[in-house]
Amino acid sequence: MGELLNKSLLLLFLYFQITIIGSKKIASRNINESSGKLSECRRCKILTDSFNHWLDKTSRGKYEGGDAAWEEEKLKSYARSEIRLVEIQEGLCSELKIHQDPCYTLAEEAEQVLEKWWFYENPNAADLYTWLCIENLQHCCHKGHFGAACSACPKDKHNKVCGGHGKCDGDGTRLGNGTCLCRKGYMGIMCDECSENYYLSEAGTCDACHASCNGCKGEGADSCEACKTGWELHSGVCVDVNECSSSVCKLNEYCTNTEGSHRCTKCDLSCKTCMGDGPSNCTSCESTNVLWFGECIDDELQQNYITNSIRRLALYIGLLVITLFIFRSSTSVVTIVVVILAVYIYFTEKNLKMTTFNVLQHLLFSAK
């Protein structure tokens, strides 16, 4: 009974292992197929670009050996030799950072066709892309054509594909149905109409309406047919509504007005309510703290601010009195020393988080 149980568990374990591995392979294949999958035309273009790259890389090559002149005479010139073709094929697709595998695959499939072009075709008569991708493999069409039959893309009366404001579906490939795919701002069968919230400019282009407009007849906020939400009409012009003028945010948030809208942001953790970012923009505090020039601090920190400020004030007054007493007979010296003292006080106060003046101001205000 125990042996049978062990075998059953082993078979169950193997089943799950096979299932997991299989699912990983399927998932991996699905990812590879769904991400970055290339059309046949695009693959062919990548291949011909790579071939031309290595054609250029080998352009200065020659036969290696003792008698290059004899080899050139008896064999074909190096420029169209089998040796050069082999060198090109060895490097083909290797320079690519992306789409390397699809390029290798098509290079193997088209190997004999490429050899035919190399040995029997005049390279100056037609470029490789046209000869290979359009005429022989028939993966692509000439620009301005689409579909299996390479039909012509729709053109307007000025002979422009999709009115010059878009491209036809499948352009240059054996795919698509030729429908015009319009650029942003254009619509219609021939992309000859302006989309919603675009207007026809004097230059004949479809330009975007002002951000405040819900439909327009021209440029600017004074050409709106109606105002978007977050804007309102004043004297024929759509102006931004300041949502922050009323309470639109939560108690522990502050409001920032934006064009056509607003943004609510949480106050600093030290604040109960606030009017801006950071711990120095509080407008009220929790019961355990007191509001001190926009900051919520506890009683101990408040007392430290007061004590240190009184000490600094006593020091400043003491230095000033001593200076006046010692140098009372010389006005010029007193002036110089007072200036030095003022500079000292300035730089001392500048680096303080809470200045002596702020503390005294708070105390006097609180006393009232």
Side-chain angles (χ1 to χ4, degrees):
M1 184 68 180
E3 186 179 351
L4 180 62
L5 179 62
N6 289 335
K7 287 182 178 179
S8 299
L9 290 173
L10 180 60
L11 288 172
L12 186 63
F13 174 75
L14 290 173
Y15 170 76
F16 278 115
Q17 287 291 98
I18 293 169
T19 303
I20 291 169
I21 293 170
S23 64
K24 285 183 177 179
K25 286 182 178 179
I26 292 170
S28 176
R29 185 170 68 247
N30 288 340
I31 291 171
N32 290 333
E33 289 176 356
S34 62
S35 60
K37 187 175 181 180
L38 300 173
S39 68
E40 292 299 318
C41 182
R42 178 69 179 138
R43 277 208 309 158
C44 197
K45 181 68 169 66
I46 291 171
L47 175 63
T48 55
D49 285 346
S50 179
F51 195 98
N52 288 328
H53 169 79
W54 289 102
L55 194 64
D56 182 65
K57 292 276 284 186
T58 58
S59 61
R60 296 180 178 274
K62 61 181 181 179
Y63 286 114
E64 294 182 0
D67 194 348
W70 180 87
E71 290 166 336
E72 289 280 0
E73 181 181 352
K74 299 298 181 182
L75 305 173
K76 284 188 175 181
S77 68
Y78 175 81
R80 301 296 287 183
S81 67
E82 184 175 356
I83 291 176
R84 187 183 181 190
L85 176 61
V86 170
E87 290 177 2
I88 292 171
Q89 289 177 322
E90 285 177 351
L92 206 57
C93 307
S94 63
E95 82 284 3
L96 299 175
K97 294 182 179 179
I98 57 173
H99 307 316
Q100 195 177 73
D101 289 343
C103 181
Y104 280 134
T105 303
L106 186 58
E108 291 178 6
E109 295 171 1
E111 183 176 357
Q112 292 183 350
V113 186
L114 284 169
E115 288 176 358
K116 178 183 176 183
W117 178 80
W118 182 260
F119 291 119
Y120 302 109
E121 296 295 327
N122 179 4
N124 299 318
D127 65 280
L128 178 59
Y129 170 76
T130 301
W131 187 89
L132 180 69
C133 301
I134 298 176
E135 296 175 0
N136 284 271
L137 296 183
Q138 296 185 351
H139 289 331
C140 307
C141 296
H142 288 287
K143 188 173 177 60
H145 295 76
F146 72 95
C150 285
S151 305
C153 289
K155 297 180 180 180
D156 66 2
K157 59 183 179 181
H158 302 294
N159 205 34
K160 292 183 178 180
V161 173
C162 296
H165 302 307
K167 64 177 183 179
C168 76
D169 183 31
D171 189 1
T173 74
R174 300 277 172 160
L175 305 172
N177 57 14
T179 302
C180 285
L181 306 175
C182 304
R183 294 203 309 265
K184 188 176 180 180
Y186 295 88
M187 60 182 291
I189 296 175
M190 290 297 297
C191 301
D192 53 359
E193 301 173 32
C194 292
S195 302
E196 186 178 2
N197 281 320
Y198 283 79
Y199 69 94
L200 186 63
S201 69
E202 293 181 358
T205 58
C206 291
D207 296 343
C209 296
H210 189 269
S212 64
C213 296
N214 188 8
C216 67
K217 54 183 180 293
E219 184 181 8
D222 57 347
S223 298
C224 299
E225 295 174 351
C227 298
K228 284 183 179 177
T229 304
W231 307 78
E232 57 187 8
L233 195 65
H234 284 287
S235 302
V237 179
C238 289
V239 296
D240 177 47
V241 175
N242 184 8
E243 292 87 355
C244 296
S245 60
S246 57
S247 300
V248 291
C249 297
K250 295 178 181 178
L251 187 66
N252 64 336
E253 296 177 337
Y254 66 92
C255 182
T256 304
N257 189 51
T258 59
E259 281 199 349
S261 186
H262 68 283
R263 182 173 62 252
C264 292
T265 309
K266 281 192 174 182
C267 296
D268 187 82
L269 293 175
S270 63
C271 306
K272 183 177 181 181
T273 60
C274 66
M275 60 179 181
D277 186 34
S280 60
N281 281 304
C282 302
T283 54
S284 68
C285 309
E286 299 294 344
S287 57
T288 54
N289 291 333
V290 293
L291 186 64
W292 187 280
F293 284 96
E295 289 191 44
C296 290
I297 60 175
D298 56 30
D299 292 335
E300 183 180 353
L301 184 56
Q302 182 188 32
Q303 191 58 48
N304 286 338
Y305 279 145
I306 294 171
T307 302
N308 292 332
S309 295
I310 292 173
R311 287 175 179 172
R312 285 195 302 273
L313 180 62
L315 174 63
Y316 300 154
I317 293 173
L319 289 173
L320 181 61
V321 170
I322 292 171
T323 299
L324 294 174
F325 179 77
I326 294 176
F327 302 105
R328 61 183 181 277
S329 58
S330 176
T331 306
S332 58
V333 174
V334 168
T335 304
I336 294 171
V337 175
V338 168
V339 170
I340 294 172
L341 182 59
V343 172
Y344 164 74
I345 293 172
Y346 169 77
F347 282 103
T348 301
E349 295 289 312
K350 182 182 178 182
N351 297 321
L352 295 174
K353 186 176 181 180
M354 190 67 65
T355 67
T356 304
F357 175 77
N358 290 146
V359 175
L360 293 175
Q361 184 184 18
H362 181 79
L363 290 173
L364 292 172
F365 180 79
S366 298
K368 291 181 180 181

